[in-house]
Amino acid sequence: MRLVLVGPPGAGKGTQATVLSEKLGVPHISTGDLFRAHISNQTELGREVQEYLDSGELVPDAVTNEMVRERLAQPDAKDGFLLDGFPRNVAQAGVLGEILAREEHKIDNVLEFRIDEDIVVERLLARGRTDDKEDVIRHRQQLYRSETAPLLDYYDSIVVSINAVGDVNEISERALRALRGEK
Ligand code: AMP
């Protein structure tokens, strides 16, 4: 299964991605995690992207798309994957479509996490990552609305939406049910 997770920052995508990747038997590919690994390993890419992550800006598409292209070419992603944090805008979705089309593949489903913004701000402030300061959080949310939410129209026919408020197990059950086409 080739799955994309979409939802505002703090909706719990990362946590659910870990659970769902295990249950679905596909690798969890998080562009945020990949960038953070580059930063902590002090690679050239890491130095290049650090200020974007710190300020909550999107890393330029060219850099992001190339990193994803390389990751998707790894053998473990051949038969499926769960993308968390990518695509983040419609241009990235176009590139993803092209990468997959070359292998005659496509995205099966987009799983949308629905949650109220005020709940997520509280959660993120509690998480305390370096980009979890209130002004940066607000900026990331604004970018979600302007850049990322349009993906829900772009992928319209394959979007499956779930309520992302609840405990971790409850939400993964909801996600698996929704992906099976059940209510
Ligand atoms: P995340 O872990 O998904 O919250 O991402 C953390 C940060 O990594 C974002 O605020 C961006 O700076 C950067 N980032 C992650 N994924 C992308 C992407 N697909 N395009 C551009 N920047 C990204």
Side-chain angles (χ1 to χ4, degrees), residues 31-115:
T31 42
D33 285 352
L34 292 172
F35 286 134
R36 282 184 291 275
H38 275 283
I39 292 171
S40 59
N41 294 328
Q42 302 186 347
T43 68
E44 195 181 322
L45 179 74
R47 278 189 287 278
E48 207 178 312
V49 303
Q50 171 130 44
E51 61 182 279
Y52 294 100
L53 274 87
D54 287 345
S55 56
E57 295 297 339
L58 294 185
V59 172
D61 286 352
V63 176
T64 307
N65 292 338
E66 200 41 43
M67 182 179 74
V68 170
R69 188 189 305 277
E70 282 174 24
R71 180 63 188 88
L72 291 181
Q74 300 294 308
D76 66 330
K78 200 169 66 66
D79 296 325
F81 50 74
L82 195 162
L83 278 171
D84 162 18
F86 183 92
R88 226 23 174 245
N89 59 35
V90 169
Q92 293 181 1
V95 171
L96 175 62
E98 285 165 19
I99 296 173
L100 296 177
R102 242 168 255 154
E103 309 286 329
E104 296 184 12
H105 292 152
K106 58 179 176 46
I107 297 298
D108 297 303
N109 279 121
V110 172
L111 184 63
E112 181 202 2
F113 288 67
R114 291 214 175 141
I115 189 162

Side-chain angles (χ1 to χ4, degrees), residues 6 16 26-28 37 49-50 68 91 111 128 138 143 155 161 165 181:
V6 173
Q16 286 303 322
V26 291
H28 168 200
V49 303
Q50 171 130 44
V68 170
L111 184 63
R138 296 275 178 206
L143 283 179
Y155 284 122
S161 301
V165 183

